[in-house]
Amino acid sequence: MKLKGYLLALISAVSYGLIPLFILPVKALGFPLDTTLFYRFLVAAVFILGFLIYRKESLKISKTELLFLLILGLLYALSSDFLFVGYGLLTPGIASTVLFVYPVFVAVILALFFRERMTRFTLISLLITCSGIVILGSNGSSGKFNLSGLLICVLCALFYALYMVIVNKSVIKRVSGMKITFYSLLFSAGYYLVKSLLLGESLAVSPQLLLHLSVFALVTTVFSITALVYAIQYIGSTPTSIMGALEPVIAVLISVGWFGEALTANLVVGVFLILTGVTVNMVFDNRKK
């Protein structure tokens, strides 16, 4: 059973790490990013809805839960929004790696606002990950520092951290994980629909591109989330989270091997430091509990 859990965690991490493989060709075609994400989240929500219907799970929620689910959908959408903006300002590999610092942000938010004690290992983890972010933002050849790109990606990680905190510290924790996922995806799709209409972007899409976007949603969202849920059931959240370290690694490998991103010393060292810092935080947080 544990082997099955680790395999599912691996599938979740790899499938999410494949985002650049799907999103960059769409950007190259000049198709609006907001419309792309609208279809991604809408199609993913439909797949999850089918799964909930198959399990005969009720979609009924209270007014309070609806409010929190709307907030979660907004945070999820903003996190994705900033991530893909980060793709343009930095690179997909770097942006995906900076996103992975969200577990450290979760620990800091819990310490600041919920009075959970911050251990020395959390502080060490924070120092290591911040060092990695600084190195990733530095251009080894020109010495320039891409502050705007890093801030965008850090905000992406912060929004995702807030999403995780609300899931664990609000009335939403009484709702099943798959139902939270469905409503998060649905409201995220609504966010991008409104944004696309306000910006005057066309929602028209060719059958070929719709198929590409459907596969994009299925692989990077539905497969990733479903495998994640079951992996946590089999092996627990900490081992699953540690396996999630493969997400930015896969994104970096795709950016370097497929799209020609330069494999610089800054990239290697920065990724290593961030993965080390986040892993230290998760391992010692689990030991404390």
Side-chain angles (χ1 to χ4, degrees):
M1 196 66 76
K2 280 205 167 187
L3 177 60
K4 188 175 182 180
Y6 279 106
L7 286 174
L8 286 168
L10 177 64
I11 291 171
S12 175
V14 170
S15 59
Y16 192 82
L18 292 175
I19 286 178
L21 190 62
F22 291 94
I23 197 68
L24 293 182
V26 176
K27 288 183 67 177
L29 291 174
F31 193 72
L33 179 60
D34 297 315
T35 307
T36 298
L37 294 175
F38 162 67
Y39 281 112
R40 176 200 177 196
F41 287 124
L42 180 64
V43 171
V46 171
F47 277 120
I48 297 295
L49 176 61
F51 182 76
L52 290 171
I53 293 174
Y54 170 77
R55 291 178 56 177
K56 298 180 180 179
E57 187 170 340
S58 172
L59 297 177
K60 186 178 179 180
I61 53 175
S62 68
K63 292 180 179 178
T64 303
E65 290 169 346
L66 174 62
L67 175 62
F68 277 99
L69 286 168
L70 280 168
I71 294 171
L72 288 180
L74 178 61
L75 289 172
Y76 202 87
L78 287 172
S79 179
S80 296
D81 219 351
F82 280 82
L83 175 63
F84 292 116
V85 171
Y87 276 12
L89 294 175
L90 297 171
T91 65
I94 292 176
S96 299
T97 304
V98 175
L99 168 62
F100 191 66
V101 307
Y102 76 86
V104 180
F105 283 176
V106 169
V108 173
I109 292 170
L110 292 177
L112 291 176
F113 297 100
F114 295 92
R115 298 183 179 180
E116 292 194 9
R117 190 170 65 90
M118 186 183 294
T119 67
R120 65 179 183 277
F121 293 108
T122 300
L123 293 173
I124 292 171
S125 172
L126 185 60
L127 180 62
I128 294 173
T129 52
C130 286
S131 300
I133 291 173
V134 170
I135 290 173
L136 281 180
S138 303
N139 187 314
S141 58
S142 66
K144 292 182 179 179
F145 188 78
N146 194 334
L147 180 61
S148 59
L150 278 183
L151 286 177
I152 289 293
C153 293
V154 167
L155 281 173
C156 165
L158 179 59
F159 284 131
Y160 195 72
L162 289 170
Y163 177 95
M164 298 299 292
V165 170
I166 291 175
V167 167
N168 286 283
K169 292 294 182 179
S170 70
V171 296
I172 290 301
K173 65 182 179 182
R174 300 181 305 206
V175 181
S176 74
M178 294 305 290
K179 191 188 291 188
I180 291 174
T181 300
F182 166 69
Y183 281 108
S184 296
L185 293 171
L186 184 64
F187 293 142
S188 294
Y191 166 87
Y192 284 107
L193 174 61
V194 172
K195 188 179 178 184
S196 296
L197 293 175
L198 289 176
L199 293 176
E201 296 176 352
S202 173
L203 297 177
V205 60
S206 67
Q208 294 85 355
L209 186 54
L210 181 60
L211 177 62
H212 177 87
L213 295 175
S214 297
V215 175
F216 175 34
L218 185 64
V219 173
T220 67
T221 308
V222 178
F223 283 179
S224 180
I225 290 173
T226 306
L228 181 71
V229 169
Y230 284 104
I232 290 173
Q233 291 179 356
Y234 289 136
I235 61 175
S237 57
T238 297
T240 303
S241 298
I242 293 173
M243 290 291 289
L246 288 172
E247 292 173 9
V249 173
I250 296 297
V252 168
L253 290 176
I254 290 174
S255 297
V256 171
W258 198 278
F259 297 104
E261 179 182 341
L263 185 62
T264 63
N266 285 43
L267 181 61
V268 174
V269 174
V271 169
F272 175 77
L273 286 175
I274 287 177
L275 297 185
T276 300
V278 173
T279 303
V280 165
N281 176 68
M282 289 186 293
V283 169
F284 285 97
D285 180 62
N286 186 57
R287 286 184 60 185
K288 178 184 70 174
K289 293 176 181 177

